[in-house]
Amino acid sequence: MCAHLTKQIHDTSHITYEGLLEGNKTFVQEALAEDPEFFTKLANGQKPPVLWIGCADSRVPANQITNTNPGEIFVHRNIANVVVHTDMNMLSVLDYAVNVLQVKHVIVVGHYGCGGVLAAMSNKQVGLIDNWLRHIKDVYRFHAKELDGIEDEAKRGDRLVELNVIDGVENLCKTSIVQNAWKNGQELSIHGWVYALNSGEITDLQVSCKSNEHLTQVFRFE
Ligand code: CO
């Protein structure tokens, strides 16, 4: 087989069920060595300033890629970081994060090479997930002119990843939860990021919003 067709995939054959529990012991020891009060303080409650809405992909762990610790990011993940206003799971996380935890930032984090987004861009069936990814097909439909104009499939996929994040940001701004927080004068910003698997770097898509003023009239709640 040609070398360029052989994808090198991260070896996980050494990961075992028992190994996870051993790993936990190491984690506890190391955390306590650094701060004997680490778990005592965490057990008293959480006050994370950020809600992260990301992809379930194992390669995009919120804390590790932002160099943060337990207690610092409230996390919601699903396949292809879809933000859709009828998802009770996401809405519950958002409501709790905004109204109880009073987070200051909500960040939708996509990643280039997202299998969910690429599946949504194709005509192949994967399974039940096709119906979840249907939301991304809608994103494609709204931006078909731009996307159809990108010949390179990988580049088209990357752009759809970005547009899916931007759609997620917009959908968050359209929720009554976020708009009520703004109406009540709460400090809250919604952001869109994309993570690059091949470099580990995050790009801020510069679509941050702090008010509903940019929304089409029909989406603005009084
Ligand atoms: Co993904």
Side-chain angles (χ1 to χ4, degrees), residues 99-190:
N99 292 318
V100 180
L101 298 174
Q102 305 255 313
V103 297
K104 291 187 166 57
H105 303 276
V106 181
I107 315 171
V108 181
V109 187
H111 65 103
Y112 295 123
C114 181
V117 172
L118 295 175
M121 204 173 76
S122 83
N123 299 101
K124 292 191 195 86
Q125 283 195 31
V126 182
L128 172 72
I129 189 66
D130 299 324
N131 301 286
W132 175 250
L133 298 176
R134 157 65 208 279
H135 295 295
I136 304 175
K137 288 187 185 286
D138 281 334
V139 175
Y140 195 107
R141 177 164 62 97
F142 287 127
H143 299 276
K145 208 173 165 190
E146 178 189 349
L147 290 165
D148 286 344
I150 305 172
E151 273 183 42
D152 184 272
E153 204 175 313
K155 286 199 177 108
R156 199 181 332 131
D158 285 351
R159 184 58 184 149
L160 185 54
V161 163
E162 294 175 356
L163 291 169
N164 180 46
V165 168
I166 294 167
D167 189 64
V169 169
E170 291 291 293
N171 285 341
L172 287 172
C173 295
K174 289 169 186 169
T175 63
S176 56
I177 297 163
V178 167
Q179 291 197 37
N180 283 337
W182 284 333
K183 191 169 74 180
N184 298 331
Q186 204 170 318
E187 186 191 334
L188 178 67
S189 303
I190 317 296

Side-chain angles (χ1 to χ4, degrees), residues 15-213:
I15 300 296
T16 61
Y17 171 77
E18 294 80 8
L20 299 183
L21 295 167
E22 285 304 313
N24 171 252
K25 284 180 188 151
T26 310
F27 163 71
V28 171
Q29 281 165 5
E30 288 181 358
L32 289 177
E34 203 170 304
D35 178 4
E37 303 296 314
F38 185 75
F39 296 105
T40 320
K41 284 187 270 188
L42 277 177
N44 285 333
Q46 60 169 338
K47 189 71 184 148
V50 175
L51 165 61
W52 173 285
I53 300 179
C55 182
D57 194 302
S58 62
R59 299 164 295 178
V60 196
N63 283 126
Q64 271 158 301
I65 66 173
T66 56
N67 202 25
T68 51
N69 288 310
E72 296 176 344
I73 301 185
F74 199 60
V75 176
H76 175 77
R77 291 167 72 178
N78 64 47
I79 292 181
N81 46 274
V82 169
V83 178
V84 56
H85 62 280
T86 48
D87 177 3
M88 279 302 292
N89 188 352
M90 184 281 291
L91 289 174
S92 303
V93 169
L94 180 67
D95 183 61
Y96 188 78
V98 170
N99 292 318
V100 180
L101 298 174
Q102 305 255 313
V103 297
K104 291 187 166 57
H105 303 276
V106 181
I107 315 171
V108 181
V109 187
H111 65 103
Y112 295 123
C114 181
V117 172
L118 295 175
M121 204 173 76
S122 83
N123 299 101
K124 292 191 195 86
Q125 283 195 31
V126 182
L128 172 72
I129 189 66
D130 299 324
N131 301 286
W132 175 250
L133 298 176
R134 157 65 208 279
H135 295 295
I136 304 175
K137 288 187 185 286
D138 281 334
V139 175
Y140 195 107
R141 177 164 62 97
F142 287 127
H143 299 276
K145 208 173 165 190
E146 178 189 349
L147 290 165
D148 286 344
I150 305 172
E151 273 183 42
D152 184 272
E153 204 175 313
K155 286 199 177 108
R156 199 181 332 131
D158 285 351
R159 184 58 184 149
L160 185 54
V161 163
E162 294 175 356
L163 291 169
N164 180 46
V165 168
I166 294 167
D167 189 64
V169 169
E170 291 291 293
N171 285 341
L172 287 172
C173 295
K174 289 169 186 169
T175 63
S176 56
I177 297 163
V178 167
Q179 291 197 37
N180 283 337
W182 284 333
K183 191 169 74 180
N184 298 331
Q186 204 170 318
E187 186 191 334
L188 178 67
S189 303
I190 317 296
H191 314 271
W193 289 359
V194 180
Y195 177 74
L197 294 171
N198 59 8
S199 71
E201 288 172 6
I202 290 170
T203 302
D204 184 341
L205 291 177
Q206 312 279 350
V207 291
S208 303
C209 20
K210 285 178 152 184
S211 82
N212 65 358
E213 282 161 23

